[in-house]
């Protein structure tokens, strides 16, 4: 009887466990380093000013990695789904990079992934 109880209890705990966070592969740079989106870090808001943030893991060919935050903001609400978005990358060493989100770039891939993940 004890075995049945513990088996049922274990099955219940496993079935109610939250989904595990994961690093989702995005792309490979020309030097062989790879970008991964850390999906548990995605946050955002679909209010008056739409925004989303995520942390990405940049892994070099030797397996060393660096966590890099990306921040996206839609500066005007008119236009299509990807219109008027900018992003900022903070490299953690005093350097920041701000640019428009352009079609076919990693920034577009990251933004689309975040928006889809958030249901925006």
């Amino acid at each position: 009887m004890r075995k049945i109880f513990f088996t049922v209890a274990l099955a219940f705990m496993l079935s109610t466990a939250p989904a595990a966070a994961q690093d989702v592969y995005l792309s490979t740079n020309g030097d062989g380093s790879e970008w991964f989106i850390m999906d548990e870090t995605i946050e955002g808001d679909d209010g008056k000013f739409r925004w989303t943030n995520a942390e990405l893991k940049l892994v070099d060919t030797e397996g060393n990695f660096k966590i890099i935050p990306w921040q996206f903001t839609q500066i005007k609400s008119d236009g299509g789904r990807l219109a008027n978005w900018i992003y900022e990358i903070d490299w953690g060493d005093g350097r920041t990079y701000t640019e428009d989100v352009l079609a076919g770039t990693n920034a577009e891939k990251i933004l689309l992934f975040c928006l889809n993940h958030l249901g925006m």
Side-chain angles (χ1 to χ4, degrees):
M1 185 67 163
R2 278 181 136 165
K3 287 182 183 179
I4 294 172
F5 173 75
F6 287 118
T7 302
V8 170
L10 180 62
F12 177 75
M13 288 188 308
L14 291 176
S15 68
T16 59
Q22 59 181 331
D23 294 346
V24 179
Y25 171 79
L26 176 70
S27 67
T28 302
N29 291 336
D31 64 359
S33 59
E34 298 178 325
W35 286 99
F36 294 86
I37 298 173
M38 299 167 58
D39 73 344
E40 73 273 14
T41 67
I42 297 172
E43 58 184 3
D45 187 38
D46 201 10
K48 182 177 180 182
F49 298 101
R50 295 174 67 192
W51 62 273
T52 184
N53 299 333
E55 290 184 352
L56 276 78
K57 188 180 290 184
L58 180 59
V59 182
D60 69 19
T61 55
E62 296 173 5
N64 302 311
F65 68 90
K66 181 174 184 171
I67 305 299
I68 303 170
W70 287 59
Q71 300 174 332
F72 295 88
T73 307
Q74 190 175 33
I75 55 175
K76 290 188 232 173
S77 60
D78 59 338
R81 184 174 186 204
L82 293 177
N84 303 309
W85 282 92
I86 60 170
Y87 68 98
E88 181 175 292
I89 303 170
D90 180 357
W91 289 98
D93 59 4
R95 294 181 299 147
T96 58
Y97 180 79
T98 304
E99 189 63 63
D100 293 330
V101 175
L102 301 175
T105 62
N106 278 346
E108 180 191 38
K109 290 178 189 178
I110 297 164
L111 177 58
L112 287 173
F113 186 89
C114 291
L115 293 175
N116 290 332
H117 183 82
L118 295 168
M120 293 172 48

